[in-house]
Amino acid sequence: MEELRAKYIEAISQAADEATLEVLRVQAVGKKGEVSLAMRELGRMTPEERQIAGPRLNALKDEINSALAAKKEALADAALDERLRTEWLDVTLPGRRRPAGTVHPVSQVTEEITAIFADMGFSVAEGPQIETDWYNFDALNIPPEHPTRTEMDTFYMHREPGDNRPPHVLRTHTSPVQIRAMQAQGAPIRVIAPGRVYRADYDQTHTPMFHQLEGLAVDRDLSMANLKWCLEEFFAAFFGVAVKTRFRASHFPFTEPSAEVDIQCSWEGGQLRIGEGDGWMEVLGSGMVHPKVLQAGDIDPDQWQGFAFGIGIDRIAMLKYGMPDLRAFFDSDLRWLRHFGFSALQVPTLQGGI
Ligand code: PHE
């Protein structure tokens, strides 16, 4: 009995894991274990012998069982200690940074322009980028053979022979939204329409997709003077300085009279400054809405008149934030986006009341 005791107590204390303990348990106190077999021998003993051997065997069985239980707990504690030692976490470390995106300059500038015109009572109108040639051209007084159709480098949508749906184009300007807005809202009306436009053209200042912002105001008594005030107010708020404008007589089929508008700038030392010097930079087209265009928008030209303008959003974003190449706007180069992009929390810079 002493031998059994020494053998198992020693083996249990040496056991390295729970599986070894289980093997020892079966060998010692399992149904066919050595202690259990010894207990079966009790039957063959004399009562006197049994009185001595019985309690000692029971005590041995208990001792082995408690040694097993104690060792099992010790192993579990050691395993936990090991886990705590290896799986520790320094809660004072700074968190992992999530790369934050930036607001694209085109989005930022669109927001800025929209906010400025909203202050002047203009609401935002929208139209489809795939437009019928009626809205893009005819309704704007550009008849089928008019040179403007080819000058605008139009992308035509493919049509199968025999397809009798009206021809569709990728809109070449935001002006078709004038027609849609007039049809939907009637007069009086004051809307701006920012959005994507498309022309087959590509160089440092032209990309096949770019952004325009259309403006349209129709009322009983509007003139070029209202247009000029509106635009000068806009430029002052947008650039943060009072900006002189120059209206140059021009031609658009959808406005009469028409004017291209330049803003004052200087190029001193190779650096462009808006609102200074005696240079001029063309930024938009404008004019009084042609009577035929009002008619196409279901508005009576004998009762109403209006002005309209179209600004290149990308162009004035380049001017305001000093971005030299338009093509980079649409390359999705993360370095460019991080450099020129805006924080989502950055509010548009608006200088009112100049
Ligand atoms: N749609 C013209 C263009 O794309 C701009 C414009 C808009 C001119 C409104 C006059 C009035 O060039």
Side-chain angles (χ1 to χ4, degrees):
M1 213 177 283
E2 219 18 71
E3 238 167 69
L4 275 181
R5 187 181 173 280
K7 174 175 156 191
Y8 282 110
I9 296 301
E10 171 66 10
I12 289 168
S13 79
Q14 298 295 314
D17 52 42
E18 266 194 55
T20 315
L21 277 183
E22 178 60 12
V23 171
L24 289 171
R25 189 190 66 77
V26 173
Q27 275 176 16
V29 296
K31 258 194 198 145
K32 291 180 181 159
E34 286 192 89
V35 179
S36 314
L37 290 180
M39 284 175 124
R40 268 185 229 165
E41 299 292 312
L42 289 175
R44 278 191 254 137
M45 294 179 185
T46 62
E48 292 75 27
E49 283 172 329
R50 208 183 297 145
Q51 253 185 7
I52 300 170
R56 287 174 69 188
L57 270 175
N58 266 326
L60 176 58
K61 190 181 169 187
D62 287 348
E63 193 182 348
I64 290 176
N65 274 330
S66 16
L68 282 167
K71 183 66 184 180
K72 199 169 167 181
E73 212 179 296
L75 283 175
D77 283 353
L80 183 61
D81 282 349
E82 177 65 11
R83 261 188 76 193
L84 291 175
R85 211 161 47 76
T86 54
E87 291 180 15
W88 67 280
L89 185 73
D90 182 352
V91 294
T92 67
L93 280 177
R96 270 185 214 124
R97 272 180 174 276
R98 290 204 189 200
T102 56
V103 177
H104 195 284
V106 171
S107 308
Q108 175 80 10
V109 164
T110 304
E111 290 287 311
E112 293 177 13
I113 305 176
T114 306
I116 296 166
F117 280 106
D119 275 354
M120 293 193 262
F122 288 76
S123 59
V124 174
E126 284 185 310
Q129 293 176 43
I130 298 174
E131 190 54 285
T132 65
D133 69 346
W134 188 82
Y135 278 105
N136 195 78
F137 295 124
D138 302 76
L140 291 162
N141 193 33
I142 311 174
E145 299 316 320
H146 198 279
T148 301
R149 294 213 183 195
T150 41
E151 277 161 23
M152 279 187 159
D153 297 309
T154 313
F155 287 112
Y156 281 87
M157 304 299 287
H158 175 72
R159 272 204 312 173
E160 295 297 341
D163 186 341
N164 55 12
R165 288 176 301 173
H168 281 72
V169 299
L170 292 181
R171 69 179 179 195
T172 57
H173 50 178
T174 43
S175 299
V177 187
Q178 288 188 31
I179 308 294
R180 292 183 176 273
M182 286 190 283
Q183 288 178 336
Q185 301 177 30
I189 187 173
R190 280 187 210 181
V191 288
I192 50 169
R196 298 183 169 192
V197 300
Y198 302 84
R199 291 181 201 179
D201 205 353
Y202 189 69
D203 60 35
Q204 194 176 345
T205 50
H206 297 90
T207 49
M209 186 283 297
F210 59 104
H211 299 82
Q212 283 191 337
L213 182 127
E214 195 79 9
L216 170 71
V218 176
D219 213 319
R220 301 242 177 234
D221 189 21
L222 285 180
S223 72
M224 290 290 274
N226 301 111
L227 169 67
K228 189 163 197 227
W229 178 85
C230 222
L231 291 177
E232 287 185 347
E233 195 74 5
F234 161 70
F235 289 128
F238 183 75
F239 288 110
V241 285
V243 183
K244 278 201 193 113
T245 57
R246 184 171 75 173
F247 280 56
R248 269 181 301 108
S250 182
H251 174 79
F252 299 104
F254 32 92
T255 45
E256 184 59 38
S258 302
E260 273 171 324
V261 179
D262 304 338
I263 53 175
Q264 177 197 9
C265 68
S266 90
W267 284 104
E268 221 171 292
Q271 224 208 318
L272 175 67
R273 285 200 180 75
I274 307 291
E276 293 176 22
D278 49 15
W280 297 99
M281 157 123 10
E282 184 197 323
V283 287
L284 61 82
S286 66
M288 298 305 293
V289 182
H290 195 287
K292 284 190 178 168
V293 173
L294 291 170
Q295 253 161 3
D298 304 328
I299 289 176
D300 179 358
D302 293 328
Q303 302 282 321
W304 305 93
Q305 53 197 323
F307 63 76
F309 56 86
I311 312 176
I313 296 180
D314 320 82
R315 187 82 195 284
I316 65 165
M318 290 168 80
L319 292 179
K320 180 167 178 179
Y321 295 110
M323 297 170 282
D325 191 330
L326 177 63
R327 290 169 297 192
F329 275 55
F330 311 118
D331 281 345
S332 303
D333 183 331
L334 283 177
R335 292 165 303 176
W336 188 91
L337 291 169
R338 285 193 194 111
H339 183 76
F340 288 111
F342 293 81
S343 150
L345 300 176
Q346 206 163 333
V347 276
T349 49
L350 300 184
Q351 274 78 19
I354 289 176

